[in-house]
Amino acid sequence: MKLPGRFLMTLLLYVLRRLAYMAPVLLGVTVLAFLISHAIPGDPAQLIAGPKASRETVENIRRTHGLDQPLPAQYWRFLHGLSQGDLGVSIRSHRPVLEDIRDYLPATLELTLASLLLCLGLGIPLGILAAVKRNTVVDHLTRVFSVIGVSTPVFWLGLMLLLVFYRHLGWLPGSGRLDVTMAAPLRITGMYTVDALLAGDWQALRNAASHLLLPAFCLSYVYLAIITRIVRSSMIAVLGQDYIVTARANGLSEARVVLKHAFKNSLIPTVTIVGLSFGELMGGAILTETIFSWPGMGKYVVDSVNYLDFPAIMGFTLMVSLAYVCVNLAVDVLYAAINPTIRY
Amino acid sequence: MLTLRILSRNPSAAAGGGILAVMVCMALLAGVLAPYEPVEINLSERLQGPGADHWFGTDEMGRDIFSRIMYGARISLRIGFFVVAIAGGLGALIGATAGYLGGWVDNLMMRVMDVIISFPSLVLAMALAAAMGPSLNNAILAVAFVMIPKFARMVRGEALAVREMPFVLASRVAGAGHAWIILRHILPNCLNSVIVLATLTLGDAILIAASLSFIGLGAQPPMPEWGAMISVGRKFLMDQWWYATFPGLFILFTVVGFNILGDALRDVLDPRIRR
């Protein structure tokens, strides 16, 4: 038997190895982000100074921002700033981009976490159902559902949801995180539903949750389709194995066989997909937040696009990508922790 | 030929192919079949609901939405085709070179691909399109760039196997250069997988490009591009539901078509996962 200490040691070594592999990729991410922000049309100094600035002001900005230095020196400066959390100053809000992002992050986090919960809460049972009822009407229906899921434009789905549930049925609110007449709950996490829950403010909780439902469903739909397919195929693979036959032969109930013996082992591919879908969820959040006027990072970046606010766009891009790489590292570690036979 | 015969017996391939055939016909025959010009302004008929004169209604300039959707099929299919041609071509070349040469070239190229894949695709495409300036061509380039690693990684995997084949060794012994072997032996042997991936990627490419147009970074109005039409139609959503609804349905149909055809092609062409 492996001692827990030794197990932790191997896990730690594995994490360190992964980190060493990740370092060049992370550095590459910063290089690419730096190159893109230098490919922008026009003069960045002019862009920061604004259209009416005098030539002297522009020259001054060029010097103070180091824009007159050679490219490698500028990159070094950029990297140095980055290591201190400096993502530049937004042209639109005149505030450090990191501060802007910090303000908008909780709304996006609330939306993506709610979507993830919906994805797993609906996708896993649907996938299991499709696998157990393989090649029946139920299975075919989930297949149609998932093909449509991966083919639907998120922004269009959002509009259609608004049309049906807000305009015609009037069941759910159409935009924002709370009714305008309602005060935001005391800020603890910045996620309104969580804060309202912690404060025991049920009215705010109900209101925030009703605002969250449509955007969260819209964002989750695509990944719901993917997770359903993944759970289905890994369940089918597991259900065909000998130990399942043995379990059945021993007279265990079908529910016990499926839920206890088969499902546990089909979880691993699902965990991987959750990590990978983080990036897609962030992409989807850009569109969903725009449709539902959800004041998160996605809406912030689209507003920045319309304003050609490059520091904000690149700050967002960089932060999301760094988070994406870290989430996938975390998933890999989790993966190794769940299944001790996995060692790369 | 065998592929075609197997495909014709596969009902989902037939469905996907059917949908795409309709889209291609729409695109090719838009000039003949569309009842109105796509940019023809007729203010006296603005924002009319679907009816006998205008099947899908009209927009805020009185333009016929059905005609615009027909012309829009040209744009969407062109976007998909160019993205896949650029990403597939460059990706296959990078993958074949990396897989065949191995060593530091392989390492360097694949680490660069890892970096591109570290960005969520829509996020990177958005940043690139914003940096290059909002236009349809720039959106195509941005989406293609994001898709390169998909092809490169897959072809590299295939190239690793192909380079060990006896005919490659024979070619090398006969004095063929690296470029010749990559172009004449490695790439043609990866073609099947590239076709499958290209079909599956076409749908994604159309979706991402439409998303870029929706946030104002792709095709610009009054171009009858589906994503851009939805972007404007959004302002009229509450009272003129048809404006944003129909272009979205056509994006959905087209992408469904590519996805089910791609899945069927994969079953037929990719022997490793043939069921």
Side-chain angles (χ1 to χ4, degrees):
Chain A
M1 202 182 89
K2 227 185 240 175
L3 291 168
R6 235 180 102 192
F7 175 66
L8 281 181
M9 200 57 203
T10 23
L11 201 62
L12 186 73
L13 276 177
Y14 170 70
V15 173
L16 287 176
R17 220 170 33 238
R18 281 298 321 249
L19 278 174
Y21 171 80
M22 216 173 80
V25 172
L26 280 180
L27 206 64
V29 167
T30 62
V31 171
L32 185 55
F34 173 78
L35 289 178
I36 295 173
S37 54
H38 275 260
I40 55 172
D43 178 359
Q46 182 79 54
L47 219 62
I48 296 169
K52 289 180 193 142
S54 68
R55 177 182 282 188
E56 216 167 274
T57 322
V58 175
E59 280 308 314
N60 248 333
I61 286 179
R62 202 187 309 280
R63 241 189 330 274
T64 50
H65 283 72
L67 293 168
D68 52 350
Q69 290 170 9
L71 217 54
Q74 285 192 45
Y75 172 68
W76 182 245
R77 202 187 159 100
F78 165 79
L79 207 58
H80 185 72
L82 200 64
S83 66
Q84 294 171 344
D86 179 9
L87 289 170
V89 174
S90 156
I91 298 174
R92 191 162 52 107
S93 69
H94 303 292
R95 290 181 355 134
V97 171
L98 195 68
E99 267 179 39
D100 276 352
I101 289 181
R102 204 179 293 149
D103 283 353
Y104 291 109
L105 180 68
T108 302
L109 220 51
E110 183 176 33
L111 178 63
T112 39
L113 287 177
S115 306
L116 205 56
L117 276 180
L118 273 177
C119 280
L120 296 175
L122 294 173
I124 291 177
L126 269 179
I128 294 179
L129 195 69
V132 173
K133 307 257 176 210
R134 194 179 173 192
N135 290 330
T136 63
V137 183
V138 183
D139 187 22
H140 295 316
L141 278 179
T142 59
R143 179 159 185 240
V144 171
F145 163 78
S146 46
V147 169
I148 294 179
V150 293
S151 311
T152 309
V154 177
F155 54 97
W156 179 76
L157 176 69
L159 293 176
M160 294 302 108
L161 289 173
L162 275 179
L163 203 56
V164 175
F165 292 98
Y166 170 66
R167 171 75 174 79
H168 288 292
L169 298 173
W171 289 354
L172 291 165
S175 67
R177 300 174 70 190
L178 275 180
D179 284 349
V180 274
T181 51
M182 188 163 268
L186 186 72
R187 186 181 169 121
I188 302 168
T189 59
M191 295 187 257
Y192 286 180
T193 43
V194 178
D195 288 354
L197 195 68
L198 290 175
D201 184 347
W202 306 119
Q203 208 189 350
L205 177 65
R206 212 172 35 233
N207 198 285
S210 70
H211 279 82
L212 182 59
L213 198 58
L214 275 190
F217 178 75
C218 175
L219 183 55
S220 67
Y221 186 60
V222 176
Y223 315 105
L224 186 58
I226 297 172
I227 286 183
T228 308
R229 293 315 284 175
I230 296 283
V231 172
R232 176 190 176 272
S233 54
S234 58
M235 276 296 281
I236 286 176
V238 173
L239 281 172
Q241 287 186 4
D242 289 346
Y243 76 92
I244 296 291
V245 180
T246 312
R248 283 201 179 117
N250 280 338
L252 291 187
S253 72
E254 188 61 24
R256 205 179 154 86
V257 170
V258 170
L259 295 178
K260 186 148 189 281
H261 293 260
F263 174 61
K264 245 189 188 164
N265 283 302
S266 71
L267 257 182
I268 290 175
T270 318
V271 171
T272 327
I273 277 296
V274 169
L276 289 177
S277 48
F278 170 79
E280 303 299 323
L281 279 173
M282 289 312 297
I286 295 177
L287 301 165
T288 313
E289 291 182 2
T290 305
I291 297 287
F292 291 95
S293 307
W294 188 264
M297 282 159 61
K299 184 166 183 314
Y300 170 70
V301 79
V302 171
D303 292 343
S304 306
V305 162
N306 292 326
Y307 208 86
L308 292 181
D309 184 351
F310 285 102
I313 300 173
M314 292 322 299
F316 168 83
T317 307
L318 202 56
M319 288 305 285
V320 167
S321 311
L322 296 182
Y324 188 33
V325 175
C326 295
V327 165
N328 278 300
L329 172 75
V331 164
D332 275 356
V333 172
L334 191 66
Y335 206 79
I338 296 178
N339 187 348
T341 59
I342 295 173
R343 288 289 175 273
Y344 301 102
Chain B
M1 270 339 271
L2 181 69
T3 308
L4 274 181
R5 211 176 308 151
I6 299 173
L7 269 183
S8 63
R9 282 197 220 115
N10 180 330
S12 61
I19 295 175
L20 293 176
V22 171
M23 294 298 162
V24 171
C25 286
M26 267 176 57
L28 290 177
L29 300 175
V32 187
L33 292 179
Y36 300 88
E37 280 294 307
V39 287
E40 186 184 310
I41 292 174
N42 183 356
L43 289 176
S44 63
E45 295 200 359
R46 60 196 294 270
L47 295 172
Q48 295 204 345
D53 283 345
H54 300 283
W55 291 358
F56 292 171
T58 60
D59 66 7
E60 81 284 10
M61 296 289 185
R63 293 173 296 214
D64 180 53
I65 291 180
F66 179 66
S67 306
R68 286 174 68 72
I69 287 178
M70 288 195 82
Y71 279 93
R74 287 186 180 175
I75 303 174
S76 285
L77 292 178
R78 199 169 65 205
I79 292 173
F81 176 78
F82 277 122
V83 166
V84 163
I86 297 170
L90 283 176
L93 202 60
I94 291 173
T97 311
Y100 170 73
L101 290 178
W104 68 269
V105 180
D106 179 26
N107 237 317
L108 181 72
M109 284 178 158
M110 287 303 119
R111 289 305 79 79
V112 173
M113 295 297 117
D114 284 349
V115 168
I116 300 176
I117 265 179
S118 300
F119 291 84
S121 36
L122 179 62
V123 175
L124 181 58
M126 182 194 68
L128 279 169
M132 290 189 290
S135 82
L136 183 58
N137 287 343
N138 288 344
I140 290 176
L141 288 178
V143 180
F145 182 80
V146 172
M147 300 283 182
I148 289 176
K150 269 190 176 185
F151 289 92
R153 282 184 161 188
M154 188 202 63
V155 171
R156 172 183 175 270
E158 305 250 302
L160 283 178
V162 177
R163 76 166 181 192
E164 305 299 335
M165 302 263 187
F167 63 86
V168 174
L169 193 65
S171 185
R172 210 180 301 168
V173 171
H178 289 326
W180 172 268
I181 293 178
I182 289 173
L183 291 175
R184 294 304 296 265
H185 294 305
I186 307 282
L187 277 176
N189 277 292
C190 302
L191 199 61
N192 274 356
S193 316
V194 172
I195 291 174
V196 172
L197 190 61
T199 317
L200 286 168
T201 305
L202 267 161
D204 271 353
I206 291 176
L207 271 185
I208 298 185
S211 304
L212 289 181
S213 296
F214 177 75
I215 55 178
L217 282 173
Q220 301 295 312
M223 195 185 254
E225 198 272 339
W226 296 338
M229 285 169 75
I230 297 174
S231 180
V232 184
R234 183 186 162 211
K235 296 176 193 135
F236 302 92
L237 181 72
M238 291 301 145
D239 296 306
Q240 283 85 27
W241 60 269
W242 57 88
Y243 194 157
T245 303
F246 288 116
L249 273 179
F250 277 79
I251 300 180
L252 176 63
F253 286 150
T254 314
V255 180
V256 165
F258 280 120
N259 279 340
I260 52 187
L261 183 68
D263 276 341
L265 267 178
R266 182 173 52 194
D267 292 347
V268 175
L269 285 182
D270 207 333
R272 281 164 311 174
I273 41 176
R274 189 179 286 172
R275 271 168 278 181

